[in-house]
Amino acid sequence: MTEAAGLWEAWAKRWDRFQETYVPAREEQFQIIADYLAVIRSAGALRLLDLCSGPGSAGSRFLQARPGARVVAVDWDPWLLELGRRTAPGASQIAWVEADLCEARWIDALPQRAFEAAVVTTAMQWFTPEETARLYGDVAALLVRGGVFLLSIRAASGPDSVRTLVELAQLRWQERAHDAPGGEHWASFWDAARREPAFVELLAERDRRFAGRYPRASRPLAFHEDALQTAGFTGVGEVWRHHETVIVLALC
Ligand SMILES: C[S@@+](CC[C@H](N)C(=O)[O-])C[C@H]1O[C@@H](n2cnc3c(N)ncnc32)[C@H](O)[C@@H]1O
């Protein structure tokens, strides 16, 4: 492995460790998503749209289980997309699409317009309620009849009093994850990446694209369920939960 390849590989591992500090049972969640995709479409062609893919986290893991699948990964961060192109298992089988999902015209960047499945993991906090509603509608329009959308999001359920407790319990989990060996904070990860000369240009472009954007507080599960139903999904339900983190399944 060249020095450059080793550098990118090391950062791919660091990305996973960083995300695991914020996302409970992250690998288990990818497995659960793959299980539902297998149940819903056990054989035959499966075209998977990995939205806000980062380095192709969900799509590349799914390809390991289903090598014949076709994955389209969409993200707006040029550094994370490059990380995926260089390090994701099965990267050459993934179509990497650079597009801003806040823009309604992101669909124009897609290489195809029909998918059996779509996923979004740990990313809906980047969108306003209006953008979320539009994005769910876009996904519904891209899925074939019987298609499935799987979302890993933060969304507590129940009345306000219960949701507050769920959010506090999640924070306790997160503090333990930060304190664990290899635990990584947002600032320490991105500061260290910016100190790496090989990443300067891509991260400068990332900073330009995301200037003024920030992750928002989570919204109740009912918000997402309503938005998905309004978008045209018929069966919508929670299929896994850890405190505030939930996998939602929506059927077209
Ligand atoms: C926490 S990361 C999760 C990445 C990946 N899904 C994973 O699980 O590792 C959130 C992702 O959302 C992407 N993102 C945020 N806003 C976006 C937008 N407007 N368009 C496309 N991607 C966006 C970020 O670039 C980042 O890759």
Side-chain angles (χ1 to χ4, degrees):
M1 190 185 288
T2 65
E3 199 179 319
L7 175 74
W8 286 95
E9 285 293 342
W11 277 88
K13 289 193 176 68
R14 190 163 174 177
W15 170 261
D16 284 334
R17 188 69 198 95
F18 166 45
Q19 290 298 298
E20 283 163 6
T21 310
Y22 289 88
V23 184
R26 184 167 176 261
E27 291 301 329
E28 183 185 339
Q29 288 195 57
F30 288 130
Q31 185 59 60
I32 286 168
I33 287 172
D35 285 342
Y36 278 98
L37 293 177
V39 166
I40 286 157
R41 201 157 180 105
S42 59
L46 195 149
R47 295 163 290 182
L48 175 68
L49 180 60
D50 184 0
L51 294 171
C52 294
S53 62
S57 306
S60 64
R61 282 168 175 80
F62 181 64
L63 267 177
Q64 301 312 294
R66 188 84 164 254
R70 172 160 173 73
V71 174
V72 176
V74 183
D75 205 282
W76 189 224
D77 180 331
W79 181 76
L80 281 172
L81 284 170
E82 187 61 15
L83 187 63
R85 282 187 202 99
R86 287 177 182 256
T87 66
S92 61
Q93 288 167 258
I94 298 175
W96 300 94
V97 175
E98 206 163 302
D100 182 0
L101 292 164
C102 290
E103 298 288 335
R105 290 180 53 193
W106 71 275
I107 286 179
D108 296 344
L110 290 176
Q112 63 192 64
R113 296 291 176 91
F115 297 86
E116 281 72 35
V119 294
V120 61
T121 57
T122 325
M124 288 313 298
Q125 69 276 12
W126 284 96
F127 300 97
T128 63
E130 296 73 25
E131 288 163 351
T132 300
R134 197 255 309 136
L135 193 52
Y136 288 173
D138 293 344
V139 176
L142 287 165
L143 288 175
V144 300
R145 186 180 289 273
V148 63
F149 186 22
L150 285 146
L151 309 90
S152 168
I153 51 178
R154 277 196 181 188
S157 61
D160 289 354
S161 54
V162 173
R163 291 207 311 274
T164 301
L165 293 176
V166 171
E167 287 163 14
L168 289 172
Q170 174 103 19
L171 277 179
R172 277 181 67 87
W173 173 86
Q174 196 164 298
E175 279 163 16
R176 282 200 305 279
H178 278 136
D179 293 343
E184 179 112 56
H185 283 267
W186 173 276
S188 65
F189 179 86
W190 290 111
D191 287 351
R194 284 193 188 88
R195 283 197 298 276
E196 179 49 60
F199 300 157
V200 167
E201 278 180 31
L202 287 173
L203 288 180
E205 179 59 13
R206 172 187 194 275
D207 289 346
R208 193 187 65 72
R209 291 182 185 181
F210 284 89
R213 297 188 190 185
Y214 49 88
R216 295 168 168 78
S218 63
R219 302 190 184 90
L221 180 63
F223 163 83
H224 292 279
E225 289 175 333
D226 289 350
L228 287 162
Q229 276 155 2
T230 304
F233 289 94
T234 48
V236 177
E238 171 184 324
V239 294
W240 180 91
R241 175 177 287 282
H242 176 290
H243 294 322
E244 197 186 4
T245 306
V246 60
I247 299 177
V248 175
L249 181 152
L251 291 170
C252 238

